[in-house]
Amino acid sequence: MSLQTVRHDWTFEQVSALYDEPFMELVWQAQNIHRANFPINTIQISTLQNIKVGGCPEDCSWCGQSVYHGVKSEPLLSLEKVIEGAKQAKQNGASRYCLAASWRSPTKRNLDSVIEMVKAIKALDLEACITVGQLNQEQAEKLKEAGLDFYNHNLETSENHFAKVSTTRSYDTRLNTLKNVRAAGINVCSGGILGMGETIEDRLNLLITLANLPEHPQSVPVNQLVRIAGTPLENEQNVDEFEFIRIIALARIMMPTSYVRLSGGRVQMPPLMQTLCFMAGANSIHFGGKKLLVTPNVTTDADQALFQQLKLNFVQTPQSACNHKTIPLTVLSA
Ligand code: DTB
Ligand code: SF4
């Protein structure tokens, strides 16, 4: 099997055997695959903006925005504020601006508002990503027409564990949204959260489902649970660091040309832990913005310090693994 081979037929036995490799061996394999498919010392940075906080009708037990246990609902952010945030993100070096809304599915009015936002982001020459809930085919096509580059919709965990942490929505519906997004020709961003009481088998099964989709998601966020007070998962244990890094390495090996993103929970990861994740094949982060959704992100100062320490460059237009342009670090401090 070459280092670039893209497979959609991973079995549990194969993935489990890889997971059980000695740690250095696993990270080394992942690093080799990373180097064969991406420019080295280069990561992609996206900035996340929550445009509709709280009031979500779903009961996801990790989330701080559910009506069952989350923060109170706020109105939709204005187009002006989105443009302001996108300009700032671009100035800070982000190549993509991501909007999140806590809806089950966008209404016609919501979708129209989001489409205006997507167009405004594109007009700033940034990539646009949104995560606004379930989509049908028609909605996905409208978003594609508006120029949307990525749609984020996580599978979150294995199908088996999902039913234990979210009861108001189904795994199948999530897979169906991914299908609609794919069919519309929008890049898929889909990953999950570690640390929700799942077993290692659940984590492997999540990766297998993602890698065995008809196309690998172009972007795979791997979050560590941020324990939010008041949510059913507020007292979960921290994910073991070595187990987390092993999952990053597996994601890199199984989806060799996809961006693997560190997102939620990076605040809980010391710089050396993040560095090992980059060694194991992570090559994207959510950068900047004071918050991710409802919890604080790593400060831009701390991130800049790490980028300088590691001498990292940034992908400017990361549409695919084959047409990267990279910009040097100095652009960030200009
Ligand atoms: C993703 O996988 N992680 C982001 C984004 N997609 C929407 C969200 C992280 C949230 C972290 C906890 C919070 O602030 O609510
Ligand atoms: Fe709603 Fe998404 Fe939070 Fe679930 S994770 S409660 S769908 S905002």
Side-chain angles (χ1 to χ4, degrees):
M1 194 175 82
S2 99
L3 295 173
Q4 278 101 344
T5 307
V6 169
R7 292 178 45 192
H8 302 272
D9 59 353
W10 291 94
T11 66
F12 187 83
E13 289 65 35
Q14 289 165 342
V15 174
S16 176
L18 269 175
Y19 187 84
D20 289 335
E21 288 275 359
F23 186 81
M24 301 303 184
E25 176 64 29
L26 180 62
V27 172
W28 183 81
Q29 277 192 43
Q31 172 71 193
N32 272 332
I33 288 179
H34 191 173
R35 282 168 180 252
N37 292 288
F38 289 96
I40 55 166
N41 305 315
T42 304
I43 64 169
Q44 184 272 328
I45 58 180
S46 297
T47 297
L48 179 61
Q49 173 66 53
N50 197 351
I51 56 169
K52 168 64 189 77
V53 176
C56 181
E58 312 288 2
D59 71 349
C60 310
S61 50
W62 61 87
C63 183
Q65 304 201 81
S66 159
V67 278
Y68 296 89
H69 48 247
V71 294
K72 71 175 191 352
S73 181
E74 291 177 21
L76 184 64
L77 201 68
S78 68
L79 179 61
E80 291 66 38
K81 289 269 184 229
V82 168
I83 294 173
E84 205 178 291
K87 282 184 179 161
Q88 183 68 57
K90 185 172 174 173
Q91 209 173 16
N92 287 342
S95 60
R96 189 177 311 157
Y97 201 55
C98 314
L99 306 178
S102 54
W103 296 316
R104 168 172 287 158
S105 177
T107 60
K108 161 114 186 34
R109 194 156 155 240
N110 291 337
L111 196 72
D112 289 346
S113 305
V114 167
I115 282 176
E116 288 316 304
M117 294 174 183
V118 167
K119 287 183 177 163
I121 294 169
K122 295 299 293 174
L124 293 170
D125 205 20
L126 279 163
E127 289 184 321
C129 173
I130 63 168
T131 175
V132 301
Q134 293 164 25
L135 290 186
N136 62 32
Q137 193 57 63
E138 196 191 330
Q139 290 172 314
E141 269 152 27
K142 277 196 181 156
L143 286 165
K144 173 69 184 174
E145 235 168 76
L148 185 69
D149 297 291
F150 285 80
Y151 195 81
N152 168 249
H153 200 64
N154 285 348
L155 291 181
E156 313 293 13
T157 184
S158 69
E159 181 166 13
N160 185 44
H161 194 63
F162 188 83
K164 299 181 196 158
V165 287
S166 183
T167 70
T168 53
R169 52 192 198 151
S170 80
Y171 214 70
D172 275 352
T173 319
R174 299 194 77 63
L175 288 166
N176 196 45
T177 293
L178 295 186
K179 178 158 113 335
N180 294 338
V181 170
R182 239 182 359 252
I186 300 169
N187 291 305
V188 168
C189 172
S190 188
I193 309 171
L194 308 189
M196 303 199 292
E198 73 284 352
T199 62
I200 286 170
E201 287 69 28
D202 287 314
R203 293 175 189 165
L204 303 187
N205 279 326
L206 166 66
L207 291 181
I208 291 167
T209 307
L210 291 168
N212 289 352
L213 289 170
E215 260 178 65
H216 290 170
Q218 284 74 13
S219 156
V220 181
V222 184
N223 297 269
Q224 177 165 201
L225 176 73
V226 182
R227 293 175 297 252
I228 300 176
T231 63
L233 297 182
E234 66 177 331
N235 295 320
E236 282 303 312
Q237 300 262 312
N238 238 345
V239 181
D240 177 90
E241 290 180 336
F242 294 100
E243 289 180 8
F244 190 92
I245 297 162
R246 280 179 184 274
I247 291 297
I248 296 286
L250 274 186
R252 167 53 60 231
I253 293 169
M254 295 168 70
M255 292 169 276
T257 61
S258 305
Y259 280 82
V260 175
R261 170 172 308 110
L262 298 180
S263 179
R266 211 160 54 82
V267 275
Q268 291 148 215
M269 297 179 197
L272 269 177
M273 162 72 176
Q274 293 183 53
T275 303
L276 269 169
C277 289
F278 297 142
M279 281 291 289
N283 60 344
S284 168
I285 58 167
H286 271 130
F287 167 79
K290 287 201 175 58
K291 283 181 181 170
L292 282 167
L293 295 174
V294 295
T295 65
N297 196 5
V298 178
T299 64
T300 50
D301 282 355
D303 274 338
Q304 302 269 16
L306 180 60
F307 300 156
Q308 301 220 0
Q309 193 72 256
L310 302 181
K311 300 201 163 112
L312 282 178
N313 293 321
F314 300 93
V315 173
Q316 210 170 23
T317 46
Q319 282 291 356
S320 78
C322 320
N323 68 349
H324 310 275
K325 278 191 253 154
T326 62
I327 50 170
L329 186 65
T330 44
V331 172
L332 273 185
S333 44

